[in-house]
Amino acid sequence: MYSRSLLASVVALAAIGTGLAATAQDLPGPVQARQGQFQIMAVNIGVLGGMARGNSDYDAEAAQTAANNLVTVSQIDQSFHWPEGTDNVSLVGTRALPAIWENLPDVIAKWQAFGAAAEGLAAVAGDGLEPLRAALGPVGGTCGACHDAYRASE
Amino acid sequence: MYSRSLLASVVALAAIGTGLAATAQDLPGPVQARQGQFQIMAVNIGVLGGMARGNSDYDAEAAQTAANNLVTVSQIDQSFHWPEGTDNVSLVGTRALPAIWENLPDVIAKWQAFGAAAEGLAAVAGDGLEPLRAALGPVGGTCGACHDAYRASE
């Protein structure tokens, strides 16, 4: 799914003119797409986190749906979302550190770790609040691992 | 996947305070999530459309990846992305017409039609430029069908 050759060809294919962008609307399509996928993840984690924290009642169907959505998002091939020149040095409006492009295999591994944790969550999310809580932590861990390494803190 | 009861419970679960929002960054999470998924679709359709129009060379692997991504996005359950009060009358920054919430079964049917067309595309996208072209049209048709009915034209 994530061959280096595909990544390389796509970087060429999707090469875009970058420049300063003040608002999200102005950001290049691939940046909006990757930020959008993180928004999808945030909404679904929000549903699950709300239940885990007791801010909303546990709802097995909604929990399962949200967990399934995280698995689905993890299956989106990332090749088109990270063209060269869309780091936070080249572009205003992204927190993507240049280190991403220096460590693509590790970035991909971290994305795949998120997918694996999401699958673990989806396996139990409909089984009750305690299993959901137990499986949600590792998902958050995989989010944090990537943010710590590759997302600017501001 | 899209039961009415889930939709109803999620509308309650995800009910959010709405208000005027001037920029995408200010939009509610579910609106950013749904706009993000359309951005993911646009990027991948852009890859395929570029090949179909001859603006980029046909690349079987990239075409297959892009088509697979469309299928994957179509599998994201939409329950959390369309809370009540996020239409274009209630909120600046979205083109989602109130008719969406008056016609949820039709909206879901149109989303599923997109998924079916994307599956048709994914079945042939790696087989050559002509099959790709033939299968891309129906995908665009399903996009347009929903836009015509449920997206403001401005």
Side-chain angles (χ1 to χ4, degrees):
Chain A
M1 253 181 115
Y2 296 102
S3 70
R4 297 301 302 273
S5 66
L6 177 57
L7 276 170
S9 71
V10 164
V11 163
L13 186 70
I16 50 166
T18 58
L20 299 185
T23 71
Q25 289 93 331
D26 297 329
L27 287 167
V31 178
Q32 294 190 51
R34 74 193 188 211
Q35 293 180 345
Q37 80 191 350
F38 295 131
Q39 287 289 342
I40 298 169
M41 292 157 72
V43 164
N44 285 279
I45 289 172
V47 170
L48 296 158
M51 295 182 197
R53 288 189 301 269
N55 295 336
S56 55
D57 291 339
Y58 175 72
D59 177 325
E61 188 182 1
Q64 188 66 60
T65 298
N68 290 351
N69 281 344
L70 294 177
V71 174
T72 301
V73 170
S74 79
Q75 293 168 342
I76 299 172
D77 187 286
Q78 296 297 299
S79 303
F80 305 128
H81 290 178
W82 307 90
E84 297 266 2
T86 61
D87 56 82
N88 75 329
V89 175
S90 305
L91 203 61
V92 173
T94 175
R95 294 161 71 184
L97 292 171
I100 290 170
W101 288 266
E102 298 155 9
N103 298 280
L104 287 177
D106 183 57
V107 175
I108 291 166
K110 284 180 163 54
W111 180 252
Q112 290 172 334
F114 160 69
E119 286 178 8
L121 177 61
V124 301
D127 295 344
L129 185 56
E130 286 312 315
L132 183 159
R133 282 182 173 141
L136 190 56
V139 174
T142 61
C143 297
C146 202
H147 293 166
D148 290 347
Y150 297 119
R151 187 176 73 163
S153 54
E154 87 277 12
Chain B
M1 253 182 115
Y2 297 102
S3 69
R4 299 301 303 271
S5 66
L6 176 57
L7 276 171
S9 71
V10 165
V11 164
L13 185 71
I16 49 166
T18 59
L20 299 185
T23 71
Q25 288 94 332
D26 297 328
L27 287 167
V31 179
Q32 294 192 50
R34 73 194 188 212
Q35 292 181 345
Q37 82 192 347
F38 295 131
Q39 287 288 344
I40 298 169
M41 292 156 72
V43 164
N44 285 279
I45 289 171
V47 169
L48 295 158
M51 294 181 199
R53 287 190 301 271
N55 295 336
S56 56
D57 290 339
Y58 175 72
D59 176 325
E61 187 181 1
Q64 188 65 61
T65 298
N68 290 350
N69 281 345
L70 294 177
V71 174
T72 301
V73 170
S74 79
Q75 293 168 343
I76 299 173
D77 186 285
Q78 296 297 298
S79 303
F80 305 128
H81 290 179
W82 306 91
E84 297 265 2
T86 62
D87 56 81
N88 75 330
V89 175
S90 306
L91 201 62
V92 173
T94 175
R95 295 161 69 184
L97 292 171
I100 290 170
W101 288 266
E102 297 155 10
N103 299 280
L104 286 177
D106 183 57
V107 175
I108 291 167
K110 285 180 163 54
W111 180 251
Q112 291 172 334
F114 159 68
E119 285 178 8
L121 177 62
V124 301
D127 294 344
L129 185 56
E130 286 313 315
L132 183 159
R133 282 184 174 141
L136 190 56
V139 173
T142 62
C143 297
C146 202
H147 293 165
D148 290 348
Y150 298 118
R151 187 177 72 163
S153 53
E154 87 273 15

